[in-house]
Amino acid sequence: MSLQLRCLYTHRYSFALVVTMLLLAAASGDSDAAMNIKAVLGHSVTFRCPSNHSEAVERLYIQKIINDKEKFINGFYKDRDMPWNEYQIRTKVNKMDLSMEMRNVSVSDEGLYKCYIFDIGVTNPKVSDIILEVTAEYSAPTITPDCTEHRRGVSGTGMSCDLSCSAVGGYPQSTIRWTGLNPSLTNVIYNWSSAHNDSKTWTINQTVTYNCDQQTNVSCAIGGAVSHTITICKTQSFPLKVIAAIAFVLVFALLLIFVVVMKCFCGRQHTPEDQSGDVNVSLTEYRSQLKSV
């Protein structure tokens, strides 16, 4: 067997032995309370392993708990190269401040990490737990109303509105919160949520029926995203077609009245010639009656 192959096998065996020792050392080594950090989906996050003297650190390993087993993410051992894995493409270790930057964070990165710090000449490592929480903001919710009138016993008519609220692209899964609705007048008739196969982000949708008692302003929120405000349960007004028909009838009636008035007015007016002619006719008739007598 060549010297290079022997060195390669020896290096892999040594690293596997170190990982095994870490599992045993985790129980006996010093451990602090878990540190919680948050990251936005698609952004970067920094894992910081607590230590008071980085210059005395000989080794640093950051591992993730996956299915109750530890998986090596990144780290350093003096000037030796670490075994390659898929995480090294988007992680970078800073030996000076004992931190690791992770880029392009995904939902699958969420979970518990362990940081092992070995000081020079110390057998048992200092173990720290780091819990990563991933979040993604939902899109601005879309709110859609559908209001209808219906009969309400012998008292007359009432109104109810079906309100739909939906948003996409958020994480973790969230619930819809309504603002402006009276809970005693609200009934949930449809509730649906689904996670995307690849990104694991959520699409949330809900429809409620609201029995109107007065005009009200309504909005909905999912996660930290809030919809615009709409007004529902408005007092119904006449349709535009009815208003136009009434206006046409009124204009026609006014025109008809105007025409009738003008005809009456014109019929009562007489010129001076017509009046003198009537007087002459009357005098002639009077003279004829005198002669006959």
Side-chain angles (χ1 to χ4, degrees), residues 228-249:
H228 66 281
T229 300
I230 63 172
T231 302
I232 62 172
C233 304
K234 298 178 182 179
T235 303
Q236 292 293 314
S237 58
F238 286 105
L240 291 178
K241 291 183 178 180
V242 175
I243 295 176
I246 294 174
F248 176 78
V249 171

Side-chain angles (χ1 to χ4, degrees), residues 2-3 6-8 60 72 89 110 117 137 145 173 203 221-222 225 231 240 242 251 253 292:
S2 66
L3 180 60
R6 288 180 180 178
C7 292
L8 178 62
L60 169 68
F72 176 73
I89 298 176
E110 191 173 58
I117 297 177
E137 189 69 20
Q173 184 180 9
T203 297
I222 303 177
T231 302
L240 291 178
V242 175
V251 171
S292 62

Side-chain angles (χ1 to χ4, degrees), residues 69-116:
K69 296 181 180 180
E70 296 193 16
K71 180 179 179 62
F72 176 73
I73 304 300
N74 210 335
F76 69 86
Y77 186 177
K78 289 186 177 180
D79 297 327
R80 301 182 186 181
D81 294 331
M82 292 288 97
W84 186 91
N85 61 54
E86 67 274 16
Y87 286 96
Q88 292 186 14
I89 298 176
R90 55 191 184 91
T91 58
K92 183 179 180 180
V93 173
N94 187 324
K95 298 180 181 180
M96 298 302 297
D97 61 2
L98 305 179
S99 66
M100 180 188 74
E101 180 189 19
M102 177 179 288
R103 300 177 297 275
N104 192 24
V105 173
S106 65
V107 171
S108 61
D109 293 324
E110 191 173 58
L112 174 63
Y113 293 76
K114 286 187 175 293
C115 179
Y116 295 92

